[in-house]
């Protein structure tokens, strides 16, 4: 223990008795930086919402946005992105957002007009989740799930579009 304390004191360039305070200060700063980084990531991802909504595919009169977010995007941020895109759609439609990494996260969101046309976020998510080896659930307006196979994300997004096409009757 004495050797470890001496090494830490040398690393931090402080006397041994100041090591605990220095470690606490470094941990506090690390938490601050992680929070700032998380905020920057959130801002960068959410800034894309307007562009993604503007680029929605017209699938038989329904709008569809199927997008893969950066790997490792947190579930709450993914949900926020899906809801932001959904809120920017100019007509009836659906959004499916996926993010890979160690696990796959999926969020489906359908606006009021899309639900009136027979779309359900729960069904959209259930259809897409199989492609990533996963499952999920939720309500007709928003559903979340996950899986274990990031390689299946492109297929999941295609399946989401196919379900929208089916609801559009085209």
């Amino acid at each position: 223990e004495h050797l470890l304390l001496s090494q830490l004191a040398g690393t931090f360039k402080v006397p041994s008795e100041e090591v605990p305070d220095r470690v606490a200060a470094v941990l506090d700063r690390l938490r601050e930086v992680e929070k700032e980084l998380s905020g920057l990531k959130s801002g960068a991802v959410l800034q894309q919402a307007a562009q993604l909504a503007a680029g929605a595919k017209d699938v038989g009169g329904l709008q569809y946005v199927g997008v893969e977010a950066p790997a490792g995007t947190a579930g709450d941020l993914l949900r926020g992105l899906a809801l932001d895109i959904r809120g920017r759609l100019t007509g009836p439609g659906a959004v499916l957002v996926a993010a890979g990494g160690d696990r796959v996260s999926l969020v489906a969101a359908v606006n009021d007009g899309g639900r009136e046309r027979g779309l359900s976020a729960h069904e959209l998510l259930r259809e897409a989740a199989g492609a990533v080896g996963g499952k999920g659930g939720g309500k007709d307006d928003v559903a979340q799930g996950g899986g274990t196979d990031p390689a299946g994300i492109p297929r999941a997004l295609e399946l989401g579009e196919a379900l929208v096409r089916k609801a559009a009757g085209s």
Side-chain angles (χ1 to χ4, degrees):
E1 289 176 359
H2 181 69
L3 179 61
L4 178 60
L5 185 57
S6 294
Q7 288 174 339
L8 286 172
T11 299
F12 287 116
K13 296 181 173 73
V14 296
S16 296
E17 59 273 2
E18 292 181 22
V19 168
D21 290 338
R22 181 59 63 102
V23 169
V26 168
L27 289 175
D28 287 343
R29 180 66 183 137
L30 180 60
R31 284 187 199 98
E32 289 174 21
V33 169
E34 286 176 338
K35 194 173 187 178
E36 288 175 24
L37 181 59
S38 177
L40 290 172
K41 283 182 181 178
S42 297
V45 169
L46 292 176
Q47 278 183 339
Q48 299 174 7
Q51 181 181 354
L52 292 169
K57 283 187 179 181
D58 183 329
V59 181
L62 291 170
Q63 293 183 312
Y64 174 68
V65 176
V67 65
E68 183 174 355
T73 301
D76 57 341
L77 181 55
L78 209 59
R79 181 182 176 95
L81 178 61
L83 294 175
D84 197 352
I85 295 169
R86 179 187 73 178
R88 295 172 186 265
L89 294 177
T90 57
V95 177
L96 179 62
V97 182
D102 294 337
R103 289 193 33 84
V104 177
S105 296
L106 297 166
V107 177
V110 176
N111 63 16
D112 291 340
R115 288 193 308 279
E116 289 170 8
R117 298 275 304 269
L119 284 173
S120 162
H122 175 76
E123 289 178 25
L124 183 61
L125 183 77
R126 192 174 57 203
E127 185 76 21
V132 294
K135 58 185 177 179
K139 298 183 179 182
D140 287 342
D141 62 336
V142 182
Q144 288 184 240
T148 57
D149 183 13
I153 290 175
R155 178 72 180 139
L157 298 175
E158 290 171 7
L159 290 170
E161 183 176 344
L163 188 70
V164 171
R165 189 174 314 287
K166 182 178 174 183
S170 56

